[in-house]
Amino acid sequence: NAGVTQTPKFRILKIGQSMTLQCTQDMNHNYMYWYRQDPGMGLKLIYYSVGAGITDKGEVPNGYNVSRSTTEDFPLRLELAAPSQTSVYFCASRALRTDERNTGELFFGEGSRLTVL
Amino acid sequence: DQQVKQNSPSLSVQEGRISILNCDYTNSMFDYFLWYKKYPAEGPTFLISISSIKDKNEDGRFTVFLNKSAKHLSLHIVPSQPGDSAVYFCAASEGGANNLFFGTGTRLTVIP
């Protein structure tokens, strides 16, 4: 059971380069999320999606784009990398919380550490 | 604007004793709270949650207490074990909203 899979785990970018962080989940979850975690900080929401074809901005969307063409995949695109985007990125998914038995908790990937120099 | 706050960056506890991790929030509309545990180089994993209709939820060695009037929740781990050493994040959400707001985390070290 793979859960949430993120690639790559590590990447170094030069300022102005572009890249895509990949995220795939095999739990048939409708909801998917991208968070970033800076040192000593909590996780901040970048973008989220409530289903295929639907995406919305979170707290810190500037400099990023997402797409959700399938239920399984939710890639995060950085168009013009900046040093401020140096962070650890986490993708997560969850099922719809319908009752007390379904806690609706997020399932996280292992993270992608991105450094922009 | 940090809506969920964990004011203790770190906590050290002897093995077998109780660990108490605290979390405060500012948004009175939050109605669902979760604790996540994170080991180095791994993603956070869900630990325990509580709805605002309850003031306590227990799962084995882990108990979460919610004090709505004080906008405060705490996670109790008893007895603490060395394998509990990790960073613990408190998170909150509002009325079925899609976002979870996370605290900055508390690093728990359980000393054998």
Side-chain angles (χ1 to χ4, degrees):
Chain A
N1 188 0
V4 179
T5 303
Q6 291 181 233
T7 56
K9 287 188 168 47
F10 303 93
R11 182 72 186 268
I12 298 175
L13 282 181
K14 293 182 179 179
I15 295 172
Q17 284 186 318
S18 302
M19 76 158 299
T20 299
L21 297 176
Q22 302 291 345
C23 177
T24 298
Q25 54 94 7
D26 62 359
M27 296 171 282
N28 201 33
H29 286 167
N30 285 331
Y31 295 77
M32 295 190 74
Y33 303 80
W34 274 105
Y35 285 88
R36 60 177 286 174
Q37 185 190 13
D38 299 326
M41 303 295 289
L43 284 76
K44 298 287 187 183
L45 182 66
I46 305 171
Y47 269 95
Y48 67 96
S49 169
V50 302
I54 306 169
T55 63
D56 210 345
K57 295 178 180 179
E59 300 171 76
V60 290
N62 292 343
Y64 307 94
N65 280 300
V66 293
S67 59
R68 184 91 182 274
S69 57
T70 66
T71 299
E72 295 79 18
D73 301 308
F74 191 42
L76 178 71
R77 178 92 179 150
L78 285 73
E79 291 294 348
L80 291 170
S84 61
Q85 294 178 303
T86 294
S87 189
V88 180
Y89 291 83
F90 290 100
C91 180
S93 71
R94 72 170 176 94
L96 177 65
R97 177 161 61 96
T98 55
D99 55 38
E100 282 296 312
R101 290 167 295 177
N102 179 350
T103 60
E105 77 268 21
L106 298 180
F107 293 82
F108 284 87
E110 293 185 339
S112 299
R113 182 176 295 276
L114 176 66
T115 303
V116 182
L117 300 174
Chain B
D1 180 23
Q2 195 74 21
Q3 298 191 55
V4 178
K5 300 177 183 178
Q6 294 176 257
N7 293 318
S8 298
S10 62
L11 174 68
S12 291
V13 172
Q14 289 287 337
E15 180 178 4
R17 306 293 292 268
I18 185 171
S19 295
I20 300 176
L21 295 91
N22 294 303
C23 178
D24 298 291
Y25 59 96
T26 57
N27 186 345
S28 58
M29 300 301 291
F30 285 149
D31 64 351
Y32 196 66
F33 306 88
L34 306 91
W35 284 94
Y36 284 83
K37 176 179 179 180
K38 184 182 180 304
Y39 293 116
E42 294 184 8
T45 56
F46 170 75
L47 193 58
I48 192 169
S49 63
I50 188 167
S51 163
S52 61
I53 63 173
K54 297 182 177 179
D55 54 17
K56 175 182 174 181
N57 188 27
E58 191 171 353
D59 183 3
R61 296 186 297 113
F62 302 91
T63 303
V64 56
F65 295 92
L66 175 63
N67 183 334
K68 290 187 291 293
S69 61
K71 295 192 184 69
H72 176 84
L73 63 156
S74 60
L75 174 67
H76 293 212
I77 306 173
V78 55
S80 301
Q81 299 174 354
D84 296 330
S85 296
V87 177
Y88 289 78
F89 290 98
C90 171
S93 70
E94 172 189 340
N98 296 308
N99 189 15
L100 277 182
F101 291 88
F102 284 83
T104 53
T106 297
R107 181 178 302 277
L108 172 66
T109 302
V110 180
I111 303 165

